[in-house]
Amino acid sequence: MIFELNEEQKLIRQTVREFAENEIKPSAAERDESESFDRALMYDKIGELGLAGIVFPEEYGGAGADYISYAIAVEELSRVCASTGVTLSAHLSLGANPIFLFGTEEQKKKFLTPLAEGTKLGAFALTETAAGSDAGGTKTTATRDADSWILNGTKIFCTNGGEAEINIVFARTDKNAQKHHGISAFIVEKDTPGFSFGKKESKMGIRSSPTRELVFDNCRIPADNLLGEEGSGFKVAMKTLDGGRIGIAAQALGIAQGAYDAALEYARERKQFEQPIASFQAIQFKLADMATEIEAARLLIYQAAYRASAGLPYGQHSAMAKMYASDVAMKVTTEAVQIHGGYGYTRDFPVERMMRDAKITQIYEGTNEIQRVVIGAAITR
Amino acid sequence: MNLDLNEEQKLIQQTAREFAEAELAPVAAQLDQGGDQQPFFDNLLKLAELGFMGLNVRETYGGAETGVVAFSVALTEIARAYASTAVTLSVNNMVCEVIQAVGNEEQRQKYIPRICSGEYLAGAFALTETGAGSDPAGMTTSAVRDGDDWLINGSKLFITSAPYAGVFVVWAITDKTAPKGKGISCFLVEANTPGLSIGKKEEKMGQHASATNELIFNDCRIPQNALMGKLNAGFRIAVGELAGGRIGIGSLALGVGLAAIDAATAYSLDRKQFGKRLADFQSTQWKIADTYTELEAARLLLMNAAYQKEQGRPFARAASMAKLFASETANRACYEALQIYGGYGYTQDFPVERYARDARITSIYEGTSEIQRLIIAREILAGFS
């Protein structure tokens, strides 16, 4: 048993923290306000740092690091800007990882390598208007036509949508199959005729990360772009989301850590009744609980990440980590605003944005309600 | 980062689990309800023979020298079956560790092997007083030099294992003029020392087999060499060395919480209402999911604290976090488990009723949750400047 980061992991934390503090943080508030995605900053530079494919083997353009290193990178980015954190998480865990897990050698060379190298951006399109927590409600279809598949339908809430060159799209390939049977996964490149982008969501938080509708209107893609076996799409989606939860858990952790750091600093400086508010037990107890729960969340994430890299089953662990870390993020950001008082409610302080950003972590990548059902069912099976 | 137990730790965990299931679980209910208490003592002796009274104590003194992580996992397994046995084990281990850390060679050789071997069924800490709970520096028990001896006067409260402890670690004021906390010393007092008597036995909500008594010192004369550590430096022992006990109590709390939710989960797979098993209802699944998630987080916090201590690093903050989180979580786990059982859970036909009572003290003793938060906050704020 070793409860400490190795040198490589420590170096990654230091490198990403410096980058995040110096380059990402200064524009976080403005990008939130203007809902702007700065790809050169929020993705290209991350690719240059070697983070875009950090967990993938070097032969596919990755850095060959482990999942703890990945979690650290997402945490550090999210600590200053949750939108940048989710850009990497959605790209790596949801866009690139299913190709690594289920792709053919050819698909890995063609699609995974540019994603891992950071020259192309990835996205994942599963959700539809009627298929949220219940992915079995997928209505988008893919019909075989000679050497092609023809996609029709609409996906919503796609992170990196409109920006990503490579999209993992789930569509029903067997109309007779029920629920989660008969769904397949496809790789769809941007600029394919019949593939367009619809409404860009205006959101409460992670406003600098684009969330967009993807529209497929007789969109013809090569038969080679089927990812995994025909009809195995639900499995592809679920396996992908197992890993994705580590990314979102790390994002939530980063948000919580950022809010806690801000609250701690503020509590030491802010004076009321002639003393720093940090000298009051009410504030000290809040800080102690925040720090304890952040530490608990971090250990749950490291455990899931450790298991993922060690080749051990980790689906239940990543579900626990995601659910717990996101609930902690919501609680900690709410308390951080409380410690700031009225100032915390203004946009002059970052905790206001962090609290808005935290909310989505309880919802996406499987709502926490779904995580509880998944965990509860796994235990009582 | 490697979060797996090593082979030795796994073996100790397995040994503790098997012993707990075979020897502790079958007698827990009757011990709790005031039946024949002999099995409780028999089991302490057997656990001593297995090496569980000095898990993190050097072999030279009769310890098992297996480390803090092993201590933590062993306590959790013991507590899954019976918390009273676990708390006795935790205190015994900590008495050995404190004597090993602070005592002189003579004191170590005299007392540690006796606790480790079971010759003494228990050791005990005597810190708390009526007016000195969370604020132990407010104690009034005094030790005054009388020739070559010390004379102790005063009384201590809530002393775990008092009636069957062979030796007591006792804190007393040795310099009344010193500022608060600066004039306290630590002594080793043997049972049956004239002037030392065991007072009122507390009637408690839970952890019934573990005795909790008042300790009365009435001109209790102890030799000069009964002083442990430096004169007037005793308070540091109380606040420093006892941090290790928090890992013990946190581990105990984890065991009780796991026992409760394990039982409730099994019950939910059996019990049917509205034509379905309780486990098939989302509300039950959620209770189970939340409880196991939080207990898993507690376990990791405990392992982290144990690991840091084992590596010889500062661990006070990690131990307080683990103790706070594990004890609060264990209480919640017992609450939810009892709720899953419904009315049956409120009866003594099922063990959750006992688990819920046994868990309640874990957020109080060995430093209340409020004190843990103060310690954590102090460390945070100190680290910041």
Side-chain angles (χ1 to χ4, degrees), chain A residues 102-115:
Chain A
F102 299 99
T104 61
E105 194 54 37
E106 230 167 65
Q107 288 172 332
K108 287 184 199 176
K109 282 197 178 112
K110 183 173 179 191
F111 299 113
L112 176 59
T113 301
L115 288 171

Side-chain angles (χ1 to χ4, degrees), chain B residues 75 83-92 160 207 210 249 252 365:
Chain B
L75 262 182
S84 290
T85 304
V87 71
T88 313
L89 212 71
S90 180
V91 174
N92 283 4
T160 300
Q207 305 204 351
S210 161
I249 297 308
L252 179 158
Y365 65 14

Side-chain angles (χ1 to χ4, degrees), chain B residues 50-384:
Chain B
L50 284 170
F52 281 81
M53 295 309 178
L55 285 161
N56 188 40
V57 171
R58 293 202 280 278
E59 285 178 3
T60 336
Y61 305 120
E65 211 171 316
T66 53
V68 190
V69 170
F71 164 69
S72 171
V73 297
L75 262 182
T76 296
E77 292 305 323
I78 299 296
R80 283 170 99 128
Y82 195 33
S84 290
T85 304
V87 71
T88 313
L89 212 71
S90 180
V91 174
N92 283 4
N93 272 274
M94 290 319 299
V95 169
C96 290
E97 283 198 41
V98 169
I99 297 174
Q100 178 174 272
V102 188
N104 60 37
E105 196 53 38
E106 191 189 335
Q107 290 166 336
R108 292 173 179 169
Q109 288 184 5
K110 185 170 183 186
Y111 296 114
I112 302 175
R114 291 182 185 176
I115 298 172
C116 287
S117 68
E119 183 186 339
Y120 287 168
L121 276 179
F125 285 112
L127 178 65
T128 300
E129 299 183 6
T130 44
S134 289
D135 181 14
M139 68 176 62
T140 58
T141 294
S142 65
V144 179
R145 281 306 284 263
D146 185 56
D148 282 346
D149 300 329
W150 290 96
L151 279 182
I152 304 185
N153 279 288
S155 65
K156 295 286 178 178
L157 195 69
F158 297 158
I159 308 309
T160 300
S161 303
Y164 37 86
V167 63
F168 297 86
V169 180
V170 179
W171 281 267
I173 301 273
T174 40
D175 182 356
K176 283 180 187 157
T177 61
K180 195 177 172 191
K182 303 284 186 191
I184 294 172
S185 301
C186 190
F187 299 91
L188 288 166
V189 182
E190 292 179 29
N192 304 318
T193 303
L196 167 62
S197 56
I198 309 296
K200 178 189 161 212
K201 177 175 188 281
E202 301 295 342
E203 292 298 330
K204 309 191 300 292
M205 175 189 280
Q207 305 204 351
H208 285 161
S210 161
T212 310
N213 290 65
E214 193 183 3
L215 213 55
I216 301 153
F217 298 88
N218 186 8
D219 279 338
C220 176
R221 181 177 295 274
I222 53 170
Q224 191 176 351
N225 62 8
L227 175 71
M228 184 166 74
K230 292 199 181 108
L231 186 66
N232 296 327
F235 191 63
R236 204 177 309 147
I237 301 171
V239 295
E241 294 299 327
L242 297 191
R246 303 203 171 108
I247 296 173
I249 297 308
S251 308
L252 179 158
L254 172 63
V256 177
L258 283 170
I261 197 65
D262 284 350
T265 302
Y267 183 79
S268 77
L269 289 164
D270 197 44
R271 168 82 172 167
K272 283 189 176 158
Q273 288 288 282
F274 305 102
K276 289 201 291 190
R277 302 176 309 171
L278 296 187
D280 296 327
F281 292 97
Q282 282 192 349
S283 88
T284 311
Q285 290 172 5
W286 283 32
K287 287 181 170 65
I288 290 169
D290 279 334
T291 304
Y292 277 108
T293 299
E294 289 173 20
L295 288 169
E296 183 61 11
R299 187 184 72 79
L300 291 167
L301 287 170
L302 284 161
M303 292 289 94
N304 179 47
Y307 174 79
Q308 302 303 337
K309 184 184 170 194
E310 199 162 289
Q311 297 298 309
R313 299 195 191 133
F315 69 97
R317 169 178 162 159
S320 283
M321 282 183 168
K323 197 271 183 183
L324 165 68
F325 193 94
S327 60
E328 294 289 336
T329 299
N331 274 291
R332 260 198 313 279
C334 289
Y335 180 93
E336 294 293 13
L338 201 150
Q339 195 70 19
I340 290 171
Y341 272 94
Y344 292 107
Y346 198 65
T347 73
Q348 300 203 327
D349 292 341
F350 292 89
V352 282
E353 179 269 343
R354 169 166 52 86
Y355 298 145
R357 287 185 287 104
D358 284 351
R360 188 62 189 86
I361 191 62
T362 62
S363 51
I364 298 172
Y365 65 14
E366 208 86 16
T368 61
S369 290
E370 290 70 22
I371 288 295
Q372 305 308 329
R373 289 187 177 98
L374 282 182
I375 293 168
I376 296 162
R378 195 175 60 213
E379 296 257 336
I380 289 167
L381 294 167
F384 194 86

